[in-house]
Amino acid sequence: MVISRKMSAPSVVFEGLKVSGNGLALAGVSIEQDAAYWEWHVSGESQDMLFGVATSKDRNFYKSLEENDGDESPQTNGTALMKKVPVKDDDTVGVAVQQSDLPMVQFFLNGEPLHELAINRFRGMVYPSVYIPPGEDLAATLALDENKFTQMPPHARFGPVIVARGII
């Protein structure tokens, strides 16, 4: 699994599952299962970063975003399903997505739940994502594999992200 260069902002710098630079970065795998958990391991200066999920993006999306420079809202810049989390070096931000009865996105900072940031009732295909703000020396490394987690998922039903396989 990788961070998708095709769906991420051109200003994002990639090193495997580690991203830096600035802008929106999306994992190359959508959340297909009922309940999934992953983590972002942060390195760098203290700053607010956006974490969560985003719908699929393409180069045309980023080009139109550049052209409409002054009009940036969460709905237009792709971060509507993301929340701002104040982070510092060595923090871990956990994200848990549930798609069954009440679809929701839950956030955790170093294992502690951030209940006030939960997002309820979303629909559609979404991808793990992070938004790195401009001007800071920040990086985030995506942990999709259980053996890379530094915190426990919130419940046993939240497993690591599974790559869906198509039937030919």
Side-chain angles (χ1 to χ4, degrees):
M1 288 186 254
V2 297
I3 304 292
S4 173
R5 291 177 187 271
K6 203 166 71 174
M7 290 193 293
S8 297
S11 52
V12 172
V13 178
F14 303 88
E15 287 180 51
L17 291 176
K18 182 178 180 179
V19 292
S20 58
N22 74 286
L24 183 60
L26 282 74
V29 60
S30 64
I31 308 303
E32 300 282 337
Q33 70 238 55
D34 181 47
Y37 176 80
W38 63 90
E39 293 179 345
W40 290 97
H41 301 158
V42 178
S43 56
E45 301 293 320
S46 297
Q47 179 78 10
D48 288 346
M49 292 175 71
L50 295 170
F51 298 90
V53 295
T55 57
S56 180
K57 307 292 179 232
D58 60 17
R59 290 293 170 218
N60 291 332
F61 168 80
Y62 293 108
K63 187 176 180 183
S64 71
L65 196 59
E66 254 180 43
E67 291 168 0
N68 299 329
D69 194 32
D71 180 32
E72 250 193 68
S73 70
Q75 282 68 36
T76 60
N77 72 7
T79 61
L81 296 174
M82 301 176 74
K83 292 292 183 169
K84 190 180 292 188
V85 178
V87 293
K88 60 186 182 329
D89 193 39
D90 287 331
D91 275 349
T92 296
V93 176
V95 182
V97 171
Q98 172 181 310
Q99 300 197 71
S100 61
D101 309 327
L102 176 65
M104 71 182 312
V105 182
Q106 301 171 63
F107 300 90
F108 303 85
L109 180 59
N110 298 321
E112 295 299 316
L114 302 172
H115 296 293
E116 68 280 2
L117 298 183
I119 298 170
N120 294 313
R121 296 188 174 106
F122 71 92
R123 290 281 181 227
M125 188 178 299
V126 294
Y127 298 80
S129 56
V130 63
Y131 179 87
I132 301 172
E136 296 297 326
D137 183 26
L138 279 170
T141 304
L142 179 60
L144 292 169
D145 202 355
E146 262 180 312
N147 61 4
K148 302 278 190 208
F149 294 166
T150 60
Q151 305 294 325
M152 293 292 292
H155 189 275
R157 74 174 179 264
F158 290 93
V161 176
I162 299 169
V163 179
R165 304 255 187 242
I167 298 175
I168 298 177

